[in-house]
Coordinates of all heavy atoms in Angstrom, one line a residue:
G332 N 0.8 -1.2 0.0 CA 0.0 0.0 0.0 C 0.9 1.2 0.0 O 2.0 1.2 0.3
A333 N 0.3 2.3 -0.3 CA 0.9 3.6 -0.3 C 1.0 4.2 1.1 O -0.1 4.4 1.7 CB 0.3 4.6 -1.3
G334 N 2.1 4.4 1.6 CA 2.3 5.0 2.9 C 2.5 6.5 2.8 O 2.6 7.0 1.7
A335 N 2.7 7.1 3.9 CA 3.0 8.5 3.9 C 4.3 8.8 3.2 O 5.3 8.1 3.4 CB 3.1 9.0 5.4
G336 N 4.3 9.7 2.3 CA 5.5 10.1 1.5 C 5.7 9.2 0.3 O 6.7 9.4 -0.4
A337 N 4.9 8.2 0.1 CA 5.1 7.3 -1.0 C 4.7 8.0 -2.3 O 3.7 8.8 -2.3 CB 4.3 6.0 -0.9
A338 N 5.4 7.7 -3.4 CA 5.1 8.4 -4.7 C 3.8 7.7 -5.2 O 3.6 6.6 -5.1 CB 6.2 8.2 -5.6
P339 N 3.0 8.5 -5.9 CA 1.8 8.0 -6.5 C 2.2 7.0 -7.7 O 3.3 7.1 -8.2 CB 1.0 9.2 -7.1 CG 2.1 10.3 -7.1 CD 3.1 10.0 -6.1
A340 N 1.3 6.1 -8.0 CA 1.5 5.2 -9.1 C 1.7 6.0 -10.4 O 1.0 6.9 -10.6 CB 0.4 4.2 -9.2
R341 N 2.6 5.5 -11.2 CA 2.8 6.2 -12.5 C 1.8 5.7 -13.5 O 1.5 4.5 -13.6 CB 4.2 5.9 -13.0 CG 5.3 6.6 -12.3 CD 6.6 6.3 -12.9 NE 7.5 7.3 -12.4 CZ 8.4 8.0 -13.1 NH1 8.5 7.7 -14.4 NH2 9.2 8.8 -12.6
R342 N 1.3 6.7 -14.3 CA 0.4 6.3 -15.4 C 1.3 5.9 -16.6 O 2.4 6.3 -16.7 CB -0.4 7.5 -15.9 CG -1.3 8.0 -14.8 CD -2.1 9.2 -15.3 NE -1.2 10.3 -15.7 CZ -1.6 11.4 -16.3 NH1 -2.8 11.6 -16.6 NH2 -0.7 12.4 -16.6
P343 N 0.8 5.1 -17.5 CA 1.5 4.7 -18.7 C 1.7 6.0 -19.6 O 0.8 6.9 -19.6 CB 0.7 3.7 -19.4 CG -0.6 3.6 -18.7 CD -0.5 4.4 -17.4
L344 N 2.8 6.0 -20.3 CA 3.1 7.2 -21.2 C 2.1 7.2 -22.3 O 2.0 6.2 -23.1 CB 4.5 7.1 -21.7 CG 5.0 8.2 -22.6 CD1 4.9 9.6 -21.8 CD2 6.4 8.0 -23.1
A345 N 1.4 8.3 -22.5 CA 0.5 8.4 -23.7 C 1.3 8.8 -24.9 O 2.0 9.9 -24.8 CB -0.6 9.4 -23.4
T346 N 1.3 8.1 -25.9 CA 2.2 8.4 -27.1 C 1.4 8.9 -28.3 O 1.9 9.3 -29.3 CB 2.9 7.1 -27.5 OG1 2.0 6.1 -27.9 CG2 3.9 6.7 -26.5
G347 N 0.1 8.9 -28.2 CA -0.8 9.4 -29.3 C -1.0 10.9 -29.2 O -0.5 11.6 -28.2
A348 N -1.7 11.4 -30.1 CA -2.1 12.8 -30.1 C -3.0 13.1 -28.9 O -3.6 12.2 -28.3 CB -2.9 13.2 -31.4
L349 N -3.0 14.4 -28.4 CA -3.8 14.8 -27.3 C -5.0 15.6 -27.8 O -4.8 16.8 -28.1 CB -3.0 15.6 -26.3 CG -1.8 14.8 -25.7 CD1 -1.0 15.8 -24.8 CD2 -2.3 13.7 -24.8
P350 N -6.1 15.0 -28.0 CA -7.3 15.8 -28.6 C -7.8 16.8 -27.6 O -7.7 16.6 -26.4 CB -8.3 14.7 -28.9 CG -8.0 13.6 -28.0 CD -6.5 13.6 -27.7
N351 N -8.4 17.8 -28.1 CA -9.2 18.8 -27.3 C -8.4 19.5 -26.3 O -8.9 19.9 -25.2 CB -10.4 18.1 -26.7 CG -11.2 17.4 -27.6 OD1 -11.5 17.9 -28.7 ND2 -11.7 16.2 -27.3
V352 N -7.1 19.8 -26.6 CA -6.3 20.6 -25.7 C -6.7 22.0 -25.9 O -6.7 22.5 -27.0 CB -4.8 20.4 -25.9 CG1 -3.9 21.4 -25.1 CG2 -4.4 19.0 -25.6
A353 N -7.0 22.7 -24.8 CA -7.5 24.1 -24.9 C -6.3 25.0 -25.3 O -5.2 24.9 -24.8 CB -8.0 24.6 -23.6
A354 N -6.5 25.8 -26.3 CA -5.4 26.7 -26.8 C -5.9 28.1 -26.9 O -5.3 28.9 -27.6 CB -4.8 26.2 -28.1
D355 N -7.0 28.4 -26.2 CA -7.5 29.8 -26.3 C -6.8 30.6 -25.3 O -6.2 30.1 -24.4 CB -9.0 29.8 -26.2 CG -9.5 29.4 -24.8 OD1 -8.8 29.4 -23.8 OD2 -10.7 28.9 -24.7
L356 N -6.9 31.9 -25.4 CA -6.2 32.8 -24.5 C -7.2 33.6 -23.6 O -6.9 34.7 -23.2 CB -5.4 33.8 -25.4 CG -4.4 33.2 -26.3 CD1 -3.7 34.3 -27.2 CD2 -3.4 32.4 -25.6
A357 N -8.3 32.9 -23.3 CA -9.3 33.5 -22.4 C -8.6 33.8 -21.1 O -7.9 33.0 -20.6 CB -10.5 32.6 -22.3
G358 N -8.9 35.0 -20.6 CA -8.4 35.4 -19.3 C -7.1 36.2 -19.3 O -6.7 36.8 -18.3
L359 N -6.4 36.2 -20.5 CA -5.2 37.0 -20.6 C -5.6 38.4 -20.9 O -6.5 38.7 -21.6 CB -4.3 36.5 -21.8 CG -3.5 35.3 -21.5 CD1 -2.6 34.9 -22.7 CD2 -2.5 35.4 -20.3
P360 N -4.8 39.4 -20.4 CA -5.1 40.7 -20.7 C -4.8 40.9 -22.2 O -4.1 40.2 -22.8 CB -4.1 41.5 -19.9 CG -3.1 40.6 -19.4 CD -3.7 39.2 -19.5
E361 N -5.4 42.0 -22.8 CA -5.2 42.3 -24.2 C -3.7 42.5 -24.5 O -3.0 43.1 -23.6 CB -6.0 43.5 -24.6 CG -6.1 43.7 -26.1 CD -7.2 44.8 -26.4 OE1 -8.2 44.8 -25.8 OE2 -6.9 45.6 -27.3
A362 N -3.2 42.0 -25.6 CA -1.8 42.2 -25.9 C -1.5 43.7 -26.0 O -2.3 44.5 -26.4 CB -1.6 41.6 -27.3
D363 N -0.3 44.0 -25.5 CA 0.1 45.4 -25.5 C 0.7 45.9 -26.8 O 1.2 47.0 -26.9 CB 1.1 45.7 -24.4 CG 2.3 44.9 -24.4 OD1 2.5 44.1 -25.4 OD2 3.2 45.0 -23.5
G364 N 0.7 45.1 -27.8 CA 1.2 45.5 -29.1 C 1.2 44.3 -30.1 O 1.0 43.2 -29.7
P365 N 1.6 44.6 -31.3 CA 1.6 43.6 -32.3 C 2.7 42.5 -32.1 O 2.5 41.3 -32.5 CB 1.9 44.3 -33.6 CG 2.4 45.6 -33.2 CD 1.9 45.9 -31.9
L366 N 3.8 42.8 -31.4 CA 4.8 41.8 -31.1 C 4.3 40.8 -30.1 O 4.5 39.6 -30.3 CB 6.1 42.5 -30.6 CG 6.8 43.4 -31.6 CD1 8.0 44.1 -31.0 CD2 7.2 42.7 -32.9
T367 N 3.6 41.3 -29.1 CA 3.1 40.4 -28.1 C 2.0 39.5 -28.7 O 1.9 38.3 -28.5 CB 2.5 41.1 -26.9 OG1 3.5 41.9 -26.3 CG2 1.9 40.2 -25.9
E368 N 1.2 40.1 -29.6 CA 0.1 39.4 -30.3 C 0.7 38.3 -31.1 O 0.2 37.2 -31.2 CB -0.7 40.4 -31.1 CG -2.0 39.8 -31.6 CD -2.9 40.9 -32.2 OE1 -3.0 42.0 -31.6 OE2 -3.4 40.6 -33.3
A369 N 1.8 38.6 -31.9 CA 2.4 37.6 -32.7 C 3.0 36.5 -31.9 O 3.0 35.3 -32.3 CB 3.5 38.3 -33.6
A370 N 3.7 36.8 -30.8 CA 4.3 35.8 -29.9 C 3.2 34.9 -29.4 O 3.3 33.7 -29.4 CB 5.0 36.5 -28.8
R371 N 2.1 35.4 -28.9 CA 1.0 34.6 -28.4 C 0.4 33.7 -29.5 O 0.1 32.5 -29.3 CB -0.2 35.5 -27.9 CG 0.2 36.1 -26.6 CD -0.9 37.0 -26.1 NE -0.6 37.6 -24.8 CZ -1.4 38.5 -24.2 NH1 -2.6 38.8 -24.7 NH2 -1.0 39.0 -23.0
A372 N 0.3 34.2 -30.7 CA -0.2 33.4 -31.9 C 0.7 32.3 -32.1 O 0.3 31.2 -32.4 CB -0.4 34.3 -33.1
G373 N 2.0 32.5 -32.0 CA 3.0 31.5 -32.2 C 2.9 30.4 -31.2 O 3.1 29.2 -31.5
I374 N 2.7 30.8 -29.9 CA 2.6 29.8 -28.9 C 1.3 29.0 -29.1 O 1.4 27.8 -28.9 CB 2.5 30.6 -27.5 CG1 3.9 31.2 -27.2 CG2 2.1 29.6 -26.4 CD1 3.9 32.2 -26.1
V375 N 0.2 29.6 -29.4 CA -1.0 28.9 -29.7 C -0.8 27.9 -30.8 O -1.2 26.7 -30.8 CB -2.2 29.8 -29.9 CG1 -3.4 29.1 -30.5 CG2 -2.6 30.6 -28.7
A376 N -0.2 28.3 -31.9 CA 0.1 27.4 -33.0 C 1.0 26.2 -32.6 O 0.7 25.1 -33.0 CB 0.8 28.2 -34.2
C377 N 1.9 26.5 -31.8 CA 2.8 25.4 -31.3 C 2.0 24.4 -30.4 O 2.2 23.2 -30.6 CB 3.9 26.1 -30.5 SG 5.2 24.9 -29.9
V378 N 1.2 24.9 -29.6 CA 0.4 24.0 -28.7 C -0.5 23.2 -29.6 O -0.6 22.0 -29.5 CB -0.4 24.8 -27.7 CG1 -1.5 24.0 -27.0 CG2 0.5 25.5 -26.7
R379 N -1.2 23.9 -30.5 CA -2.2 23.1 -31.4 C -1.5 22.1 -32.2 O -1.9 20.9 -32.2 CB -2.9 24.1 -32.3 CG -4.1 24.8 -31.6 CD -5.1 25.3 -32.7 NE -6.1 26.0 -31.9 CZ -6.3 27.3 -31.9 NH1 -5.5 28.1 -32.7 NH2 -7.3 27.8 -31.3
Q380 N -0.5 22.5 -32.9 CA 0.2 21.5 -33.8 C 0.9 20.4 -33.1 O 0.9 19.2 -33.5 CB 1.2 22.3 -34.7 CG 0.5 23.2 -35.7 CD 1.5 23.9 -36.6 OE1 2.5 23.4 -36.9 NE2 1.1 25.2 -36.9
S381 N 1.5 20.7 -32.0 CA 2.3 19.6 -31.3 C 1.3 18.7 -30.5 O 1.6 17.5 -30.4 CB 3.3 20.2 -30.3 OG 2.7 21.0 -29.3
T382 N 0.2 19.1 -30.1 CA -0.7 18.2 -29.4 C -1.6 17.4 -30.3 O -2.1 16.4 -29.9 CB -1.6 19.0 -28.3 OG1 -2.4 20.0 -29.0 CG2 -0.8 19.6 -27.2
E383 N -1.7 17.9 -31.6 CA -2.4 17.1 -32.6 C -1.6 16.0 -33.2 O -2.1 15.2 -33.9 CB -2.9 18.1 -33.7 CG -4.0 19.0 -33.2 CD -4.3 20.1 -34.2 OE1 -3.7 20.2 -35.3 OE2 -5.3 20.8 -34.0
A384 N -0.3 16.0 -32.9 CA 0.6 15.0 -33.5 C 1.0 13.9 -32.4 O 0.8 14.2 -31.2 CB 1.9 15.7 -33.9
P385 N 1.4 12.8 -32.9 CA 1.9 11.8 -31.9 C 3.1 12.3 -31.2 O 3.8 13.1 -31.7 CB 2.2 10.6 -32.8 CG 1.7 10.9 -34.2 CD 1.4 12.3 -34.3
L386 N 3.4 11.7 -30.0 CA 4.5 12.1 -29.2 C 5.8 12.1 -30.0 O 6.6 13.0 -29.8 CB 4.6 11.2 -28.0 CG 5.7 11.5 -27.0 CD1 5.6 12.9 -26.4 CD2 5.7 10.4 -25.9
A387 N 6.0 11.1 -30.8 CA 7.2 10.9 -31.5 C 7.5 12.1 -32.5 O 8.7 12.4 -32.8 CB 7.2 9.6 -32.4
E388 N 6.5 12.8 -32.9 CA 6.6 14.0 -33.8 C 6.5 15.3 -33.1 O 6.9 16.3 -33.6 CB 5.6 13.9 -34.9 CG 5.6 12.7 -35.7 CD 4.4 12.5 -36.6 OE1 3.8 13.6 -36.9 OE2 4.1 11.4 -37.0
A389 N 6.0 15.3 -31.9 CA 5.7 16.6 -31.2 C 6.9 17.5 -30.9 O 6.8 18.7 -31.1 CB 4.9 16.3 -29.9
L390 N 8.0 16.9 -30.4 CA 9.1 17.7 -30.1 C 9.7 18.3 -31.4 O 10.1 19.5 -31.3 CB 10.2 16.8 -29.4 CG 11.4 17.6 -28.9 CD1 11.0 18.7 -27.9 CD2 12.4 16.6 -28.2
A391 N 9.8 17.6 -32.5 CA 10.3 18.1 -33.7 C 9.4 19.3 -34.2 O 9.9 20.3 -34.7 CB 10.4 17.1 -34.8
I392 N 8.1 19.2 -34.0 CA 7.2 20.2 -34.4 C 7.4 21.5 -33.5 O 7.5 22.6 -34.0 CB 5.7 19.8 -34.2 CG1 5.4 18.7 -35.3 CG2 4.7 20.9 -34.3 CD1 4.1 18.0 -35.2
Q393 N 7.6 21.3 -32.2 CA 7.8 22.4 -31.3 C 9.1 23.1 -31.6 O 9.2 24.3 -31.7 CB 7.9 21.9 -29.8 CG 6.5 21.5 -29.3 CD 6.6 20.8 -28.0 OE1 7.6 21.0 -27.3 NE2 5.6 20.1 -27.6
A394 N 10.2 22.3 -31.9 CA 11.5 22.8 -32.3 C 11.4 23.7 -33.6 O 12.0 24.7 -33.7 CB 12.5 21.7 -32.4
R395 N 10.7 23.1 -34.6 CA 10.6 23.8 -35.8 C 9.8 25.2 -35.7 O 10.3 26.2 -36.1 CB 9.8 23.0 -36.9 CG 9.6 23.7 -38.2 CD 8.8 22.9 -39.2 NE 7.6 22.3 -38.7 CZ 6.4 23.0 -38.5 NH1 6.3 24.2 -38.8 NH2 5.4 22.3 -38.0
I396 N 8.7 25.2 -34.9 CA 8.0 26.4 -34.7 C 8.8 27.4 -33.9 O 8.8 28.6 -34.3 CB 6.6 26.1 -34.0 CG1 5.7 25.3 -35.0 CG2 5.9 27.3 -33.5 CD1 4.5 24.7 -34.4
A397 N 9.5 26.9 -32.9 CA 10.3 27.9 -32.1 C 11.4 28.5 -32.9 O 11.7 29.7 -32.9 CB 10.9 27.1 -30.9
A398 N 12.1 27.6 -33.8 CA 13.2 28.1 -34.6 C 12.7 29.1 -35.6 O 13.3 30.2 -35.8 CB 13.9 27.0 -35.3
E399 N 11.5 28.8 -36.2 CA 10.9 29.8 -37.2 C 10.6 31.1 -36.5 O 10.9 32.2 -37.1 CB 9.7 29.2 -37.8 CG 10.0 28.1 -38.8 CD 8.7 27.3 -39.2 OE1 7.6 27.6 -38.8 OE2 8.8 26.4 -40.1
F400 N 10.1 31.1 -35.3 CA 9.7 32.3 -34.6 C 11.0 33.0 -34.2 O 11.1 34.3 -34.4 CB 8.9 32.0 -33.4 CG 8.5 33.3 -32.7 CD1 7.6 34.2 -33.2 CD2 9.2 33.7 -31.5 CE1 7.3 35.4 -32.5 CE2 8.9 34.9 -30.8 CZ 7.9 35.7 -31.4
L401 N 12.0 32.4 -33.7 CA 13.2 33.0 -33.3 C 14.0 33.7 -34.4 O 14.7 34.7 -34.3 CB 14.1 32.0 -32.5 CG 13.6 31.6 -31.1 CD1 14.5 30.5 -30.6 CD2 13.6 32.8 -30.2
A402 N 13.8 33.1 -35.6 CA 14.5 33.7 -36.8 C 13.6 34.7 -37.5 O 14.1 35.4 -38.4 CB 14.8 32.5 -37.8
S403 N 12.4 34.9 -37.0 CA 11.5 35.9 -37.7 C 11.8 37.3 -37.4 O 12.4 37.7 -36.4 CB 10.1 35.6 -37.3 OG 9.8 36.0 -35.9
K404 N 11.4 38.2 -38.3 CA 11.5 39.6 -38.1 C 10.8 40.1 -36.9 O 11.3 41.0 -36.1 CB 11.0 40.3 -39.3 CG 11.2 41.8 -39.3 CD 10.7 42.4 -40.6 CE 10.9 43.9 -40.6 NZ 10.4 44.6 -41.8
T405 N 9.7 39.5 -36.6 CA 8.9 39.8 -35.4 C 9.7 39.6 -34.1 O 9.7 40.5 -33.3 CB 7.6 39.0 -35.4 OG1 6.8 39.3 -36.5 CG2 6.7 39.3 -34.1
C406 N 10.3 38.5 -34.0 CA 11.1 38.2 -32.9 C 12.3 39.1 -32.7 O 12.6 39.6 -31.7 CB 11.5 36.7 -32.9 SG 12.4 36.2 -31.4
R407 N 13.0 39.3 -33.9 CA 14.2 40.1 -33.8 C 13.9 41.6 -33.4 O 14.7 42.3 -32.9 CB 14.9 40.1 -35.2 CG 15.6 38.8 -35.5 CD 16.5 38.8 -36.7 NE 15.9 39.4 -37.8 CZ 15.2 38.8 -38.8 NH1 15.0 37.5 -38.7 NH2 14.8 39.5 -39.8
G408 N 12.6 42.0 -33.7 CA 12.2 43.3 -33.4 C 11.7 43.4 -31.9 O 11.4 44.6 -31.5
G409 N 11.5 42.3 -31.3 CA 11.0 42.4 -29.9 C 12.0 42.2 -28.8 O 13.2 42.5 -29.0
R410 N 11.6 41.8 -27.7 CA 12.5 41.7 -26.5 C 13.6 40.7 -26.7 O 14.7 41.0 -26.3 CB 11.6 41.4 -25.3 CG 12.4 41.4 -24.0 CD 11.5 41.2 -22.8 NE 10.4 42.2 -22.8 CZ 9.3 42.0 -22.1 NH1 9.1 41.0 -21.4 NH2 8.4 43.0 -22.1
V411 N 13.2 39.6 -27.3 CA 14.3 38.5 -27.5 C 15.4 39.1 -28.4 O 16.5 38.9 -28.1 CB 13.6 37.2 -28.0 CG1 14.7 36.2 -28.4 CG2 12.7 36.6 -27.0
G412 N 15.0 39.7 -29.5 CA 15.9 40.3 -30.4 C 16.8 41.4 -29.7 O 18.0 41.4 -30.0
A413 N 16.2 42.2 -28.9 CA 16.9 43.2 -28.2 C 18.0 42.6 -27.2 O 19.1 43.1 -27.1 CB 16.0 44.2 -27.4
E414 N 17.6 41.6 -26.5 CA 18.5 40.9 -25.6 C 19.6 40.2 -26.4 O 20.8 40.2 -26.0 CB 17.8 39.9 -24.7 CG 16.9 40.5 -23.7 CD 17.7 41.4 -22.7 OE1 18.8 41.0 -22.3 OE2 17.2 42.5 -22.4
F415 N 19.3 39.6 -27.5 CA 20.3 39.0 -28.4 C 21.3 40.1 -28.8 O 22.5 39.9 -28.7 CB 19.7 38.4 -29.6 CG 20.7 37.8 -30.6 CD1 21.4 36.6 -30.4 CD2 21.0 38.6 -31.7 CE1 22.3 36.2 -31.3 CE2 21.9 38.1 -32.6 CZ 22.6 36.9 -32.4
A416 N 20.8 41.2 -29.3 CA 21.7 42.3 -29.8 C 22.6 42.8 -28.6 O 23.8 43.0 -28.8 CB 20.9 43.4 -30.4
R417 N 22.0 42.9 -27.5 CA 22.8 43.4 -26.3 C 23.9 42.4 -25.9 O 25.0 42.8 -25.6 CB 21.8 43.7 -25.1 CG 22.5 44.3 -23.9 CD 21.5 44.5 -22.8 NE 21.0 43.2 -22.2 CZ 21.7 42.5 -21.3 NH1 22.8 42.9 -20.9 NH2 21.1 41.4 -20.8
T418 N 23.5 41.2 -25.9 CA 24.5 40.1 -25.5 C 25.6 40.0 -26.5 O 26.8 39.9 -26.2 CB 23.7 38.8 -25.4 OG1 22.7 38.9 -24.4 CG2 24.7 37.7 -25.0
M419 N 25.3 40.1 -27.8 CA 26.3 39.9 -28.8 C 27.2 41.1 -29.0 O 28.3 41.0 -29.5 CB 25.6 39.6 -30.2 CG 24.8 38.3 -30.2 SD 25.8 36.9 -29.6 CE 26.9 36.6 -30.9
S420 N 26.8 42.3 -28.5 CA 27.6 43.5 -28.6 C 28.5 43.6 -27.4 O 29.4 44.5 -27.4 CB 26.7 44.7 -28.7 OG 26.0 44.9 -27.5
A421 N 28.4 42.7 -26.4 CA 29.3 42.8 -25.2 C 30.7 42.3 -25.4 O 31.0 41.6 -26.3 CB 28.6 42.0 -24.1

């Protein structure tokens, strides 16, 4: 039996797609500009696409979406791009 401090039983790893994962932004304050709006849209796209895929493909999907966003003009013009420029100029 499970005693005090015992770890809960592990569930089997789900390797299929995860249907019906909520990806809406209800409850978030309105974006303070187009860069924040674009970042949020990218996050939602990442959640949707990676949860609709099997586990074996999900990480590659997340990596591709993140890389595309990090290389985008939108990202380079935002906070991440500013920090990159500051770091690289040091």
